[in-house]
Amino acid sequence: RRAAVGGDCDFGEAEFWEARYTEEGGDGVFDWWLGGYEMLRGHVEAATGGRREARVLDLGCGTSRLAEELHDDGYQNLIAADISPAAVQAMQHRNASSRPEIRWVEADALDMAEFEDGALDLVIDKCTMDAVSCASGRWNQNVVLLTWEACRVLREGGTYLVCSESMIPRDAFGFGHTTFDVSVEEVTDKRHAGGQAQFSTAYIYTAVKRSRSAEGARSPVPLAEALEEAAVADAKLEVATRDLIRYSAGHDDEHDEEDGLFDVPE
């Protein structure tokens, strides 16, 4: 399971992103995921059946160009949501005249009260799951809530498209609280949207919401039960993380002393 990032990079906390986007002042473009829209385009086409009127949500949009690229590719019914007011305001301002059709919404991915059950055809998560899984002490609980909400707002047959640089989504879907049928593709591209070499493997998870009445379909685990299991996993991970940090700190100190790194040069 995912460990906290720690330090000054609290990717799982809303305050971190608000501070980041406020500092950018609305002019920046930040894209966590190394793959560009061209890498995603075929998956989006498959999920929507090519229907440009499909109801699409860019969940955790930040200041990336994804919603803009979807719009420019002809998608007409777009919502882009982020927990950071600064990011939402920046994107509204950036697209006010060029893409007024996009709806920019301030929303918490773990509690999307703004959206009704079954309201969407496609939810795109471009490393939002990676980010919320970094919240210290809530690694697994956050991804359970995120996948639950994504499943809730999708219609039956709708798709949750998760772009990740980890295997975290595989674990998240494993709690059994959603009705997703999941497949994963490992993708490698020499270049990403910023034009620089890709340094890690990325994954695209396609999770299709099946009908509860589908033949052979298992009943999902209740959310409360999945959250309880996730909380137990988080507690164990927190202990293991503390032990590892203590061990690493002591081990590094021993090596530093042996290597003479604490000696003062004459």
Side-chain angles (χ1 to χ4, degrees):
R1 304 291 186 185
R2 182 62 171 252
V5 172
D8 295 326
C9 299
D10 299 322
F11 297 137
E13 303 299 334
E15 294 79 9
F16 170 85
W17 294 106
E18 180 65 6
R20 180 191 183 97
Y21 293 128
T22 299
E23 184 178 351
E24 287 180 355
D27 298 323
V29 175
F30 177 72
D31 233 326
W32 179 322
W33 194 56
L34 295 178
Y37 178 60
E38 284 306 311
M39 190 182 290
L40 270 181
R41 193 174 188 274
H43 294 81
V44 173
E45 287 277 341
T48 61
R51 295 183 302 109
R52 291 315 195 251
E53 70 276 10
R55 300 163 297 176
V56 180
L57 170 63
D58 177 7
L59 183 59
C61 62
T63 56
S64 84
R65 297 199 183 279
L66 176 60
E68 297 165 333
E69 291 171 318
L70 285 163
H71 173 277
D72 296 349
D73 197 21
Y75 288 93
Q76 308 158 12
N77 198 352
L78 293 171
I79 305 171
D82 201 274
I83 199 169
S84 166
V88 172
Q89 291 166 14
M91 296 304 284
Q92 287 174 328
H93 178 74
R94 195 163 93 191
N95 293 279
S97 58
S98 57
R99 303 175 183 89
E101 302 85 0
I102 302 177
R103 179 184 166 197
W104 304 96
V105 177
E106 183 184 337
D108 183 350
L110 308 185
D111 184 11
M112 293 188 279
E114 297 80 4
F115 304 103
E116 297 180 357
D117 295 1
L120 303 169
D121 298 303
L122 172 62
V123 174
I124 305 176
D125 171 339
K126 197 149 65 69
C127 283
T128 297
M129 189 180 297
D130 286 357
V132 302
S133 72
C134 292
S136 182
R138 304 193 307 274
W139 307 283
N140 291 286
Q141 293 168 81
N142 275 5
V143 298
V144 164
L145 287 170
L146 175 62
T147 48
W148 173 270
E149 280 294 275
C151 189
R152 180 185 66 78
V153 301
L154 282 166
R155 65 169 175 82
E156 290 184 351
T159 300
Y160 181 29
L161 199 60
V162 184
C163 308
S164 175
E165 293 173 12
S166 73
M167 300 301 289
I168 291 168
R170 180 194 61 186
D171 293 341
F173 293 122
F175 284 97
H177 59 299
T178 64
T179 56
F180 284 128
D181 289 324
V182 184
S183 61
V184 59
E185 178 185 349
E186 182 177 315
V187 292
T188 304
D189 191 3
K190 293 182 179 179
R191 309 187 72 82
H192 68 81
Q196 297 180 10
Q198 179 167 332
F199 295 106
S200 65
T201 300
Y203 304 90
I204 300 176
Y205 296 81
T206 300
V208 179
K209 182 177 177 179
R210 65 176 179 271
S211 169
R212 288 175 178 263
S213 59
E215 184 178 351
R218 294 182 179 179
S219 297
V221 172
L223 176 60
E225 186 176 325
L227 283 172
E228 183 177 350
E229 181 185 349
V232 171
D234 285 337
K236 292 180 179 178
L237 180 56
E238 192 159 19
V239 171
T241 301
R242 284 200 305 266
D243 290 345
L244 180 60
I245 291 172
R246 283 197 297 267
Y247 171 79
S248 298
H251 193 64
D252 289 344
D253 287 347
E254 290 175 5
H255 278 287
D256 289 345
E257 291 172 356
E258 291 173 2
D259 295 342
L261 296 180
F262 291 138
D263 293 343
V264 178
E266 296 179 359

